[in-house]
Amino acid sequence: MAERSTAAVDVADNSGEEPLTAQADQSTADGVANNRERDTDSDEAQGTPTNEDSGKSSPPDPHSGHKLARRYRLEECVTRLDGFSSWRAVDEKLRRAVGVHILPADHARARSVLASARSSALLGDPRFVQVLDAVEDEDLVYVVHEWLPDATELTALLASGPLEVYDAYQMVSQVAAAMAAAHREGLAHLRLSPNAVLRTSTGQWRIRGLAVNAALRGIGSDTPQRTDTEAIGALLYATLTQRWPYEDDAHGLVGLPKDIGLIPPDQVRAGVHRGLSELAMRALANDGATASRHEAPCTTPEELVKAIGEMPRIRPPEPAYTAPPTYQGTAYQQGAYGRPTPRPGAAQPAPTPPPPLQSRTGKALKWGVSALLIAALGLGSWQLADALMERGGTADDPDQTQTVDGDNDKGAKAPASGKPVSIVGARDFDPFGDQSEKPSEVGNIFDNNPSTYWQTDYYLSSDFGRLKDGVGVIVDLGKVQQVGKVAVTFIGNTSVELRSAGTDAAEEPASFDGYQKVAEGSGTSVELKPSKAFKSRYLLVWLTDLPMQANGEWRGRLADVKVTS
């Protein structure tokens, strides 16, 4: 049975058009500062009505400074074509930047745009640019969405060259997982392109224009899952090669040479990761094209996510070590201050040692030092003899007990063991992902309330969908203290490691390598006890395998952490 997308409702059939991913079109402005999008079609770019809009009422003419609902002030028009316009605006009520799509209420696609916007808003997935409002106001229909000033389009990232292997892997993993979640709710994008995929300053990839961009242009598809999967394959192909996988140039990228067909990325550019190259071909295989290495093609985002999970995990690159510059002492520190600069080629005289102390004061000083050394030697000999005599007396009398006066004990007392150690703070730790994992819930792990917990994001498998090695929580004990064991309580059977920052860590380590594993275990109530007690201020509770929760999601939930000395 053919699939039917909810991205375009009551939209005319688009049969006869080339594949969506092959079109050199641009998405509407969905929230990237200083990245204006311009459509490559000359009629649309000039705002000339197309055949589809012939006979329809002309769109209203909003201008900079115009307010919608006495709240959204239009600032800059980013796109104006095909009967609608897109703006960067300001929400004066919440004092934040937003994006706005505007079209006449009697526009042929006004109803489908409203329906698509409201469906997209109900999804509420943070991997998509969120729809904030969808309103029909007298003679206008407008859709308000997030504006992301810290995000960069994939188009801009590819302008300087292909992405690194790890960045390309993260892009296709996150975009495929997001689109799989959208299709499970009956939503399609249908206009996935480098302009519709953004990378934030934290490294997270986000998708804009879900359902809305296609509805604005009246685009539909009988096979929306196939269309979006092929588009993801085109995005991966572009990130690996900096080429568009079709003959026509698009999105600022050069197309493939004509009459040679679709060739794998590792044949276009040397050094391309073979696994990602095969994955791109499996997603792009369509209309007679065969998947690379005889693997089955991926026809849905869900199949693409499964294929990514079967790949060997690609780890982030190791940070480059930069050797500190060699220290050069100044002339004053090297003892050359005030000396004349020697001529080149002249022999350097050996420095003469200072003369011995010959004055009366010098002789007195030498005798005084000698007397102190003799006194110290005599005192040490007496204490040693006394200690040996006491030890001999104890050995002769096995029933004799030795008592030590606390006032005369000069040694440091060993810390008591088995006592609770207070936790003064904690934070989430996600070094292999987007650096954030539910930070607002971390305080629940030491609030002495077993019904509250910190939880991870949800994943497609117990091993974090093969996206990362794990996530965890860093526990701050306030100062370096002795740690004998750590008891952790989970909701669901969870695998966990206890890692320590060591006693020499003056500050909380920022990288995973700053923590050494001291214990591990699994279960719901796990006692992490190292082979011997150690001292540390910072502990890392590191989750390595997640349970499936009652709602069917793979998610870790840490309810309590107790530290004892």
Side-chain angles (χ1 to χ4, degrees):
M1 182 179 294
E3 305 168 70
R4 200 68 191 171
S5 169
T6 60
V9 182
D10 299 329
V11 177
D13 183 26
N14 285 279
S15 59
E17 296 183 356
E18 57 181 327
L20 295 175
T21 52
Q23 296 178 358
D25 50 14
Q26 307 288 335
S27 63
T28 58
D30 287 308
V32 177
N34 302 323
N35 282 320
R36 291 193 185 182
E37 303 164 289
R38 309 184 192 282
D39 205 290
T40 57
D41 186 86
S42 59
D43 289 339
E44 290 182 346
Q46 297 172 9
T48 304
T50 61
N51 292 336
E52 187 178 0
D53 291 316
S54 299
K56 302 294 186 299
S57 62
S58 60
D61 189 20
H63 54 82
S64 296
H66 180 76
K67 288 186 180 180
L68 299 172
R70 299 182 180 180
R71 175 175 179 177
Y72 304 110
R73 186 181 72 249
L74 304 182
E75 293 286 327
E76 179 184 11
C77 183
V78 184
T79 304
R80 188 189 298 273
L81 54 90
D82 205 13
F84 71 90
S85 59
S86 299
W87 293 77
R88 177 176 61 84
V90 174
D91 183 349
E92 294 187 335
K93 185 175 182 179
L94 298 180
R95 298 182 180 180
R96 62 178 178 181
V98 294
V100 182
H101 300 306
I102 305 175
L103 67 163
D106 58 353
H107 193 285
R109 296 190 289 271
R111 298 297 176 190
S112 64
V113 169
L114 280 176
S116 299
R118 288 164 181 168
S119 298
S120 178
L122 291 175
L123 181 62
D125 192 319
R127 293 171 292 192
F128 294 93
V129 174
Q130 298 295 296
V131 173
L132 305 177
D133 207 352
V135 179
E136 181 177 5
D137 185 11
E138 297 181 355
D139 58 345
L140 285 179
V141 167
Y142 58 91
V143 176
V144 184
H145 56 82
E146 284 183 295
W147 187 271
L148 306 178
D150 66 333
T152 306
E153 290 180 359
L154 181 57
T155 305
L157 296 174
L158 293 177
S160 58
L163 298 188
E164 295 292 334
V165 174
Y166 178 73
D167 293 332
Y169 174 73
Q170 286 294 314
M171 186 281 298
V172 70
S173 300
Q174 295 183 31
V175 171
M179 289 309 305
H183 278 282
R184 284 195 293 270
E185 299 298 327
L187 293 172
H189 196 290
L190 305 184
R191 281 185 55 83
L192 271 176
S193 70
N195 292 328
V197 178
L198 319 169
R199 186 173 70 180
T200 66
S201 58
T202 61
Q204 180 186 9
W205 293 89
R206 300 188 67 180
I207 303 171
R208 63 185 177 185
L210 177 66
V212 176
N213 278 6
L216 283 168
R217 288 170 171 81
I219 295 174
S221 174
D222 290 332
T223 57
Q225 296 204 53
R226 176 63 239 168
T227 300
D228 283 342
T229 305
E230 185 178 354
I232 298 172
L235 294 175
L236 178 58
Y237 197 106
T239 60
L240 296 174
T241 63
Q242 202 186 12
R243 300 287 292 269
W244 193 238
Y246 302 97
E247 292 184 354
D248 297 329
D249 300 346
H251 312 292
L253 301 171
V254 179
L256 297 178
K258 299 183 183 298
D259 302 326
I260 66 171
L262 183 62
I263 57 177
D266 54 4
Q267 296 182 19
V268 176
R269 175 175 168 266
V272 171
H273 188 276
R274 175 172 293 184
L276 292 179
S277 176
E278 294 179 2
L279 187 69
M281 293 299 292
R282 293 178 65 183
L284 282 168
N286 196 17
D287 295 334
T290 56
S292 178
R293 309 295 190 270
H294 305 290
E295 294 285 349
C298 299
T299 59
T300 67
E302 199 75 53
E303 292 179 0
L304 190 58
V305 170
K306 183 179 179 181
I308 295 171
E310 293 172 351
M311 288 178 52
R313 188 177 306 171
I314 298 177
R315 299 182 180 274
E318 294 292 337
Y321 173 74
T322 304
T326 57
Y327 177 73
Q328 299 290 339
T330 63
Y332 179 79
Q333 292 169 327
Q334 294 174 353
Y337 181 75
R339 298 178 186 173
T341 304
R343 291 173 296 177
Q348 297 294 324
T352 57
L357 298 175
Q358 299 294 340
S359 64
R360 181 178 299 177
T361 304
K363 292 180 179 180
L365 182 59
K366 288 193 292 183
W367 282 109
V369 172
S370 300
L372 288 176
L373 290 174
I374 293 172
L377 182 60
L379 180 61
S381 301
W382 176 77
Q383 289 181 340
L384 178 60
D386 186 57
L388 291 174
M389 291 177 64
E390 289 184 357
R391 183 178 300 176
T394 304
D396 294 339
D397 187 3
D399 297 329
Q400 181 179 358
T401 59
Q402 182 177 359
T403 59
V404 179
D405 189 355
D407 295 335
N408 296 328
D409 186 7
K410 303 297 183 181
K413 294 183 179 179
S417 60
K419 291 187 176 181
V421 178
S422 299
I423 299 175
V424 300
R427 77 169 184 89
D428 61 307
F429 190 57
D430 184 18
F432 304 122
D434 59 4
Q435 313 301 316
S436 178
E437 197 87 3
K438 305 293 185 187
S440 61
E441 302 174 357
V442 176
N444 294 336
I445 69 171
F446 60 100
D447 62 354
N448 295 320
N449 185 354
S451 63
T452 61
Y453 51 81
W454 167 81
Q455 64 180 349
T456 68
D457 294 329
Y458 70 87
Y459 296 91
L460 299 178
S461 62
S462 64
D463 58 351
F464 303 89
R466 293 197 176 184
L467 297 176
K468 60 186 74 173
D469 290 336
V471 295
V473 173
I474 296 175
V475 175
D476 184 3
L477 304 181
K479 62 181 180 180
V480 175
Q481 300 197 54
Q482 176 174 299
V483 178
K485 66 178 180 179
V486 177
V488 292
T489 303
F490 296 101
I491 299 176
N493 192 18
T494 307
S495 296
V496 61
E497 295 177 355
L498 176 63
R499 291 177 170 265
S500 168
T503 58
D504 56 346
E507 296 181 352
E508 176 187 305
S511 67
F512 181 74
D513 294 335
Y515 298 89
Q516 300 298 320
K517 184 170 72 172
V518 295
E520 63 182 342
S522 63
T524 56
S525 296
V526 185
E527 184 178 278
L528 299 170
K529 189 172 183 179
S531 57
K532 62 178 180 179
F534 62 91
K535 291 186 177 182
S536 181
R537 173 178 175 177
Y538 299 103
L539 305 176
L540 172 58
V541 179
W542 184 247
L543 280 63
T544 59
D545 196 77
L546 305 178
M548 177 181 285
Q549 301 297 337
N551 56 4
E553 298 175 348
W554 298 93
R555 187 191 295 266
R557 288 175 175 169
L558 177 58
D560 194 41
V561 176
K562 299 291 186 184
V563 182
T564 55
S565 61

